[in-house]
Amino acid sequence: MEKVTFTIDGRQVSVAKGTTVLQAAIEHGIQIPYYCYHPGLGVDGSCRVCLVKIEKMPKLQVSCSVVATEGMVVDTRSPEVVEARAGVFEFLLINHPLDCPVCDKGGECPLQDFSYAFGRKESRMEFPRRTFDGEGVRADVDFGPTLMLNRNRCIMCTRCARFMRDVAGDEQIGIIDRGYGSEIATFREEGVHSVLSGNLMDVCPVGAITTRDYRFKSRPWDNPNAVDTICTGCEKGCNITVWIKAKPEWAKGSQLARITPRYNADVNQYWMCDIGRFGYHWVEGAERLSAPLVRKADGALEATTWDAALKALADRLGRADWGGVRFALSAHASHEEMFALGRLAMALVGDAAQSSIGVGWNVSAKPQAGATRFTVPDVDAPNVGGARAFGLVEGERPTPTVASLRAEVEAGRVKALYVLDPGPAGAIGDLSWAVAARKDGRLPLLIAQGPVATDVTRAADIVLPGCAWVEKDASYANMQGRLQAASQGILPPGDARDDWRILADVAAALGVPLGYDSAHEVRQAIAATLGSEPAVAGIAALEFRRPAPAATWLQASNPMERLKWDFLFQDVLPLKFENTRDPGHRAGEKT
Amino acid sequence: MRLPEPVLTPHVKKPHGHTLEHYLQTGGYQALRKALALTPDQVIEQVKQSGLRGRGGAGFPTGMKWGFVPKDSPKPKYLCVNADESEPGTFKDHVLMERNPHLLFEGCVIACRSIGAKVAYIYIRGEFYHVQRVLEAELEKARAAGYVGKNILGSGVDCDIWVHRGAGAYEAGEESALLESLEGKRAQPRLRPPFPAVVGLYGCPTIINNVETICNVPVIFDRGAEWFASIGPEKNTGPKLYCISGHVARPGVYETSMDVTLRELIYDYAGGIPGGRALKAVIPGGSSVNVLTPEALDAQASFDGLVKAGSMLGSAAIMVMDETTDMVWAATNLIHFYKHESCGKCTPCREGSDWMHKVLQKILRGEGSMRDIDLLLGIANNIGGKTLCPFGDAEIAPVVGMLQHFRGEFEHYVREGRSLVPLAPWRAREPAGAHAH
Amino acid sequence: MSFHPQMPYGTPQWHRSERVLADEGPPFAFTPENRQKLEEIASHYPPERRVSAVLPALYLVQEQQTHLTGNAMAHVAEVIGCSRAHVEDVASYYVMFFTKPVGKYVLQVCRTLACALNGAEHVTAELCRQLGVAPGGTDAAGEFTVMEMECLGACDRAPVVMVNNEHWHECQSPEAIQALIRDLREKGVAALTGCHHTKE
């Protein structure tokens, strides 16, 4: 790649040709504030806070729009720049309500932080602030099903309008009025209706757009831990960060504070959909299973211990019935789980193991504009790619096969149906036929493994509580066939166990141990068996993250943002920039 | 050489002076024939030699601008005529289009052909609907007569001209905002580079010229580049229209050359100030340039002459203020204009224009302090040179210029709570609408 | 509308913005003539750049029904092929589009320096006094709306009044206001002096 070398603040930096001065500064940890620029939305040039001095140019330049050239000399700290930048911050704050204590963005707000670092120490504005819908949180108004809008806080960077136009391909947000009266708006206050709406909160550099899901739920400093993982809501496999709440109150409430996208150039860029972002509440919902259940003689399901449940399973599933066991497998299962289930099936069914497993998932079309640059796939499961790699489904665009078990079950030829669905309720697709067959006795035994109570677990004889995706380390292959690691962020509730281990425990209870002591060993076995398959290549070396202290808020939303936060919080000068100001330079102000 | 006779506006007073018939009778479309006989490069060369500089405000050499269009670009090219004449005090293009539309069309066709454009859009401000009707009626005739449209005068050159009407936005006069507006968006400026000559309308190479600039093009071919270059002072060549308004006896558009002085324009052409009152201030180039005092009256009203005098020729809109004018009021009037017309895209202009207006209103109410006067300069300082488009520099001119020359009037307001000059008869005691804004 | 079952849309706990919206208005569609006019105008632009015709389309709406309504803007979006938010965005930007009802005659008085130096303040004040409205307001009969405009570009004829975005009345004085109102009532826009030399 062709490089250019130039100087910022006396430092030599070398960047790819075509890089702007601002991008180069961000990459090298040099402090230049910005609002309208966003790496995923491009350059707009309207906020004017990224002013720098460039040698041989008469005026100050906005660094977002100047492409670095060989030998360029850039200064971000000269008195002229400091003064001009502080002036722009003064403009930004003359109408911004300082209601940070009741703003969800407070604490992780670029306007707060950049103003702290680069702004004036006081404002010369003495007139009342412009208000649109009243003062304080009264101004938080309806902005569609997922969002709230506070127009008082808006600084008109237009990132939201540009996101909807350029990424979502659906120009639902416009600017109303002009000049001083400009405001962000949707047509006749209809609000934003988009499966990508949550990204508008991410791109908003102030608290103008916030999500209803996160509203007043937590302060950023109450989410000290975050884990970089992936979303398993569909076959896209967006890279995400799961934010974990850690105030003492969390013991009473949920630990998952929110989910934000994490940059991956090849998968999801800077974005994720609302289904993944807001659809995580089932993980800590009322329907979670926290103990194994066994159906008693009176027909009621009763919580019990793992030993008792596994013993009951071994008792109910006589060796003579093994050949008649069938498996319904959700495509929410990870590689490890699919592989372990395959091994269990081979131990029970023998050579016919492959045909004893039916794989299920849901397919749903998402309402999106044709021009969108971020397509949410129809397949609502993360690991159809894995099922294909393991030979459980076939073809370029496989279709669910779980219904192929139906005829056998309804004919009463199946001795036991083992359902493994680690996804949210119903993620495996329609199993009402199995429930009905169990109820009328055509299916003698129904074993259900999964994290939540569903119609299937309610009809089952034995229920084995598993983990949600965020409670275990597991690997998946997305629609591109890319192997990705989902890391554990929180502990599973009660006695719930990692799903591959449940399968291993079941095998052991039946007297056919799989021989794995850890998920890593399962992955090693996968590598040994299927190492050349692209969807699993490198699986033994896969690295999993651990919840890490988010010393830098928004640490993981994307690397560019992360850099910004890194340098801001580690390197704020205690004296701000006052010390670089020439007192005589402050035009128009008496001191 | 002083312009011996009007060449852009010779027939404005004649009732049918704007028609195709009249234009042809007076030698119209002969320049087009001459230009069609030359190669596009030769045309550009002639325009360069004429020394024609853009009449919209910046005074950029027209021939050089045309030369920026990439010749090898496979994309279509466009000419956009900036007829969004909205600089306060300016009404020359209004007269040119209404009274001499074929001169504009002829210039458009020559310009289009030289840059390889097949379409020209005349972006006319929304308030000029009556002008649009004149233009469209005359365009129809020109098309029928083969001066516009396909295969012009049998030369094989195609050039269509369309009139596009704006809807009330000063900012649409800024060239990139004009393109945005023409693309059906709000008139907000674009970041440059890339410049419109490379990436303009619809992402294609585009030249944007002022109406008067384009109207000068046929003159160059009619009378020759040498003749054109001989008119007026060096580097400020060719005929020039001046719009004189305010406190003068005969306000109007006057055509002469740029060796004329402000004094001649105000006292000879426009008949001086009525009632024998004294001149107090003159804004020589539209509200976006610095105000001048009577000491500067002998400055040459040319691009370079007015820069030397501490101001700019701008759109050559000369607004004359006599001794009855309250300069604090005048500054507030103009800042109200800029506050109203700020597009709101970039921070300093959006926030600063309103802030300056509020501070000025406070001073005007007699509630200001000396600190407010300094604050005005401070705000202006934070806007100047830091905005996305030249609007920011324009909007501070009334404040900075007025404070430079008339600071005493501002201080009088602060000390005494009222104006230094008595309320003029042309002012309403209660400024109507002061409360509504 | 909501695809989030846990986030029902429009529940009362989320209050609506106080933004003053254009009224929804009666159902709107261009008349065949106006639709044809619009198609003719749209043909001036490359076919994939049809959105260039959004300003002319909004003018046509105002010709058809004096001001822009929600339904009209939605119709323009459909006809032009852009989003409704885009149409509202553009319509709100330009001062010559009326997003609330106006009188039969909209009297647009220039207020910028050249006109103000020649007494525009008196003209506005007198118009408001005689019609009993504040600037921006419409009289009780819905006949006249008085608006202040920024520089209209006829400074040699100051003070200038434009009527209904297109008709001009120049060199106004407070004394002439009574006659202007009377003439407009009696003769309509034909009473206006026109601009420069268009009256021949």
Side-chain angles (χ1 to χ4, degrees), chain B residues 158-218:
Chain B
D158 297 342
C159 175
D160 235 320
I161 301 174
W162 305 111
V163 183
H164 183 100
R165 184 186 180 194
Y170 170 74
E171 182 60 15
E174 196 279 335
E175 59 175 17
S176 64
L178 181 147
L179 297 178
E180 288 281 297
S181 183
L182 192 46
E183 289 183 6
K185 303 175 201 159
R186 50 177 43 219
Q188 291 190 325
R190 294 177 183 172
L191 204 57
R192 275 152 295 178
F195 290 93
V198 183
V199 181
L201 184 66
Y202 308 135
C204 302
T206 304
I207 289 297
I208 301 132
N209 280 137
N210 175 258
V211 170
E212 189 188 344
T213 313
I214 293 289
C215 285
N216 268 300
V217 170

Side-chain angles (χ1 to χ4, degrees), chain C residues 41-60:
Chain C
I41 293 168
S43 73
H44 302 171
Y45 312 100
E48 71 279 12
R49 302 290 184 168
R50 212 176 139 77
V51 68
S52 277
V54 68
L55 297 188
L58 290 169
Y59 275 124
L60 284 171

